[in-house]
Amino acid sequence: MGSYGNQLRQILRRLGRSPMFTAITLITLAIGIGANTAIFSVIDGVLLKPLPYPHPEQLVVVLHAAHGLNGAQPLDLGPSNYFVYREQNRTFQDIGLFTRDSASVTGKALPEQVPALDVSDGTLPILGVQPFLGRLFNSADVMLASPSTAVLGYDYWQRKFASNPNVIGQMVTIDSRPRQIIGVMPKDFHFLDWEAPAVFLPIQLERNKLFLGRFNYPGIARLKPGVTLAEAIADVGRMLAIVLRSFAPPPGLSLQFFEQARIAPNLLPLRQAVVGEVSGLLWILMGGIGFVLLIACANVANL
């Protein structure tokens, strides 16, 4: 043990006699270690940590592919598909629609345009969200004949309503439409990797006026316990034929068009859909930065 202490003291004395060498050594190591730490922090936050929802492994994004349409992009979820999937599936606990929006809020201080999120009544419960105040949307809120309602984001509730705990039941005008505030979202809630919405609004669909198609709503579902992704894909494939039988094609299109489009299910784990192609890039970057650290250590050894 004493020999190690003597060697350490000798090293420190040598470093003290060569301040330039010491500075270059420390800077080289600091750059290599700092870069690796920064990249690993990003990888840990994006790729390694689980999504901030209960049982995130059960969450999937519901997409489609139209194999009969050359060069077609992946399709989201159509309202007609949504109703059939929700009512006749065998593999989902529930399924929901959502879409990004922007809303004009008036009647509370100065008018302002704020980010909004439109959701069906099942979307937020699928993510396991519990409101900070009040309640979330239910089946009545998404009916066209129901009174208009809204849920506030936590930060917006603090800023616009001064954290008033009696905000539930108050009226606010959104896009020139009076809406009753029914809830406030929890403080740390994040919807995927999107900008934090100031207000959440219910998606209201009139089922008897829907046609096939209109694949413009992203869909999210929670699998039943023990159900695999392959089983869910097969289940959606089974229901696609039911959708074609249950709804008429829109004016100007025929049923044959949808049959020839050969629409097929394309379900993805929610993490994969959120991260996308960034995961591969981050791992490559981590490998490159690790190589930089090795070079830095080799340079220090040469010095």
Side-chain angles (χ1 to χ4, degrees):
M1 190 69 181
S3 63
Y4 287 116
N6 291 332
Q7 292 177 13
L8 179 60
R9 283 192 292 272
Q10 291 176 13
I11 292 172
L12 292 176
R13 282 197 296 269
R14 290 179 182 178
L15 291 175
R17 289 195 295 266
S18 306
M20 184 61 68
F21 169 78
T22 302
I24 293 174
T25 300
L26 293 177
I27 291 173
T28 302
L29 290 175
I31 291 174
I33 294 172
N36 275 267
T37 301
I39 295 299
F40 182 79
S41 298
V42 174
I43 289 178
D44 180 56
V46 174
L47 301 180
L48 301 182
K49 283 186 178 179
L51 295 172
Y53 312 118
H55 300 289
E57 72 283 355
Q58 297 176 343
L59 296 172
V60 296
V61 172
V62 183
L63 300 171
H64 300 84
H67 297 300
L69 301 179
N70 294 329
Q73 295 295 320
L75 302 176
D76 285 321
L77 189 60
S80 56
N81 298 71
Y82 161 72
F83 280 109
V84 172
Y85 295 174
R86 194 176 196 193
E87 296 166 359
Q88 302 193 40
N89 83 83
R90 301 168 184 169
T91 54
F92 299 147
Q93 297 183 46
D94 202 355
I95 183 171
L97 302 174
F98 61 92
T99 186
R100 201 190 304 261
D101 200 356
S102 178
S104 174
V105 181
T106 56
K108 293 289 182 182
L110 295 176
E112 59 178 327
Q113 197 75 20
V114 299
L117 183 69
D118 300 340
V119 296
S120 61
D121 58 301
T123 303
L124 297 176
I126 284 172
L127 297 176
V129 182
Q130 296 295 327
F132 179 74
L133 292 175
R135 65 173 180 86
L136 302 178
F137 301 118
N138 57 31
S139 58
D141 294 303
V142 298
M143 302 296 292
L144 286 174
S146 299
S148 299
T149 54
V151 173
L152 304 178
Y154 186 90
D155 292 342
Y156 189 67
W157 167 67
Q158 283 191 314
R159 176 173 64 85
K160 194 74 171 182
F161 296 85
S163 303
N164 181 5
N166 299 316
V167 71
I168 305 302
Q170 291 187 20
M171 301 299 294
V172 60
T173 302
I174 300 178
D175 292 334
S176 304
R177 184 177 179 180
R179 291 180 178 269
Q180 184 182 52
I181 299 172
I182 62 170
V184 175
M185 296 296 287
K187 180 178 181 180
D188 298 324
F189 174 73
H190 296 282
F191 188 83
L192 310 185
D193 58 346
W194 290 13
E195 178 186 9
V199 294
F200 295 75
L201 306 174
I203 294 176
Q204 296 178 320
L205 300 170
E206 196 167 359
R207 179 170 180 162
N208 59 2
K209 293 185 178 180
L210 294 178
F211 295 99
L212 293 173
R214 197 184 165 199
F215 295 95
N216 54 2
Y217 285 101
I220 188 172
R222 181 176 286 277
L223 302 179
K224 293 179 179 179
V227 170
T228 66
L229 184 63
E231 290 171 336
I233 291 174
D235 191 29
V236 172
R238 173 188 63 84
M239 291 185 289
L240 281 169
I242 301 175
V243 176
L244 293 179
R245 296 194 303 265
S246 303
F247 292 88
L253 292 177
S254 65
L255 181 61
Q256 185 181 18
F257 170 83
F258 288 93
E259 292 173 340
Q260 292 177 344
R262 291 187 287 125
I263 298 172
N266 181 26
L267 277 62
L268 297 176
L270 181 60
R271 171 173 287 282
Q272 181 180 341
V274 170
V275 175
E277 298 179 355
V278 175
S279 59
L281 178 62
L282 287 177
W283 285 118
I284 292 173
L285 188 59
M286 183 65 188
I289 294 297
F291 187 66
V292 170
L293 179 59
L294 290 177
I295 294 175
C297 292
N299 288 337
V300 169
N302 288 332
L303 288 173

